[in-house]
Amino acid sequence: MYRLVLYVLIALLAVAVLFCSFGLLPYSPIDLIFSTLLIVSLCWGSNYIFAKWSGAIPNVESVYITAFILALILAPATLNNYASIGFLIFVSAGAMASKYIFTIGRKHIFNPAAFGVALSALILGQSATWWIDGNLVLLPFVLLGGLLIVRKIRRFDLVLSFFVVVLLTIVLTSHGSPIAILAHTFQYSSFLFFAFVMLTEPLTAPPSRTLRVLYGALVGLLFTSIIHLGSFYFSPELALLVGNLFVALVSPKGRFMLTLAEKNKIAAGTFEFVFTPDKPLTFHPGQYLEWTLGHSPSDDRGNRRFFTIASSPTEHTVRLGVKIYEPESTFKRALLALKIGDVISASSLAGDFVLPKNPKKKLVFIAGGIGVTPFRSQVQYLMDTKDTRTVTLLYSNKTASEIAYKNIFDTAEREIGMKTIYTSRIDGAMIAREVPDYKERTFYLSGPHGMVTAFEKTLHDMGVSRFSIKTDYFPGFA
């Protein structure tokens, strides 16, 4: 996911340099290239210093993402204009500092780019021009890149709530033609780039759908400047920072340091890593974390991954189940190389793939391969809490040797009456045969993206409502 954002930002900068060369943008291509290289260097250097100072595990992609965002919203500096160069230095250093100074449990609170810009406006009286969104020629590229990002991370709920509140507020409080007002908003404001790239940052966004909708609405309301304190009006970056504070208040706090206690092979090609957290981890069965390893060099996916927590909240350890494919990624290679006592970090607890609150809801879990990990968490939780709700698990693997957590599911069959079917293939006929009352059930689907998509279609064709289908998803999946 981070790499996609990075590629989109690079593409936007490349297009902008090209358009500057043809006079379609009011900047010198040399100035834009110089400013971008300067900001990247400043962000990298500042991040290195602050990471060393704090002992944190840095993430290279996030440094470059912040740098390229700044290059796209700050007016380019010229080689002989020392004031404009000083401004870029101040904003870049401020952005990186915010990641290590303003934290809760070693997790940053504020969007770094927004913080750097807001700080410069407060102290230097100079802010961002948001030139990327102020030029009609770049609009198609911003729109296309933004939609790719939102589609990848599946945050349409967040972006849509922001869009609706902004547009409704502007139309209802402005004079003139609503169509003209909306056209102007899309073409000449920081509206699109802000929403697609900055609002959706995973580390400062809420963990659940409801909170994301509220977050988007709050930022959208402040973004319009309808709410103000006397002569003080919110800028886009200030609106985002207030939203970040809201997220910090309602979301799980901090970064967790996890010490490896066990490493076991639990199935063919599948390993389980058992960690002891430095503090209690409160979560719902089926949620996920973003796991960070400080390995180098890393492949093009970086040193962070999203994985479901395989343990139950009732357990005192944090379990991670991972399928190792050949050739393995640098991340999984580093994970396999961990020794007992080694420490990794995890944060960004989130996910809506959780059990329904109503215990009378009858459920069907459909798992493919290592997609079974959220069900391991949920089933262990059901056993530990003596919850005997009606559950059927259909678990597909190519061979019997690839079945993971079989002992847990077999125990659940004895203790809470859960029905488990191990198979090499699941189709509509099997579902109808093994779950005759399937139209009364809520289905949970977890596995490879293609498998999940195929089962969604199968269930729709069988007459199962889309509101009765939940799919496991986290940013960067697939």
Side-chain angles (χ1 to χ4, degrees), residues 115-167:
F115 183 89
V117 172
L119 186 65
S120 69
L122 177 65
I123 295 178
L124 304 180
Q126 187 173 354
S127 190
T129 60
W130 294 90
W131 64 268
I132 181 66
D133 263 346
N135 292 278
L136 188 59
V137 293
L138 289 174
L139 178 62
F141 301 95
V142 173
L143 184 60
L144 176 60
L147 289 175
L148 287 174
I149 292 171
V150 177
R151 178 180 179 275
K152 177 66 175 178
I153 63 176
R154 297 191 185 183
R155 290 296 179 260
F156 285 104
D157 48 9
L158 169 58
V159 173
L160 184 61
S161 66
F162 172 79
F163 280 0
V164 168
V165 170
V166 169
L167 297 178

Side-chain angles (χ1 to χ4, degrees), residues 383-430:
M383 287 194 292
D384 291 343
T385 58
K386 311 300 181 185
D387 190 328
T388 57
R389 67 180 72 195
T390 302
V391 180
T392 296
L393 168 64
L394 304 178
Y395 184 12
S396 172
N397 286 285
K398 292 179 180 178
T399 64
S401 65
E402 295 177 295
I403 297 174
Y405 301 117
K406 188 174 186 298
N407 60 322
I408 299 292
F409 303 133
D410 290 348
T411 301
E413 192 163 7
R414 295 191 301 270
E415 294 188 0
I416 60 174
M418 186 182 82
K419 179 181 178 181
T420 301
I421 307 296
Y422 303 107
T423 181
S424 60
R425 184 173 183 272
I426 303 171
D427 56 20
M430 169 179 276

Side-chain angles (χ1 to χ4, degrees), residues 7 30 118 273 347 432 457:
Y7 294 152
I30 301 300
F273 302 83
S347 63
K457 183 179 185 306

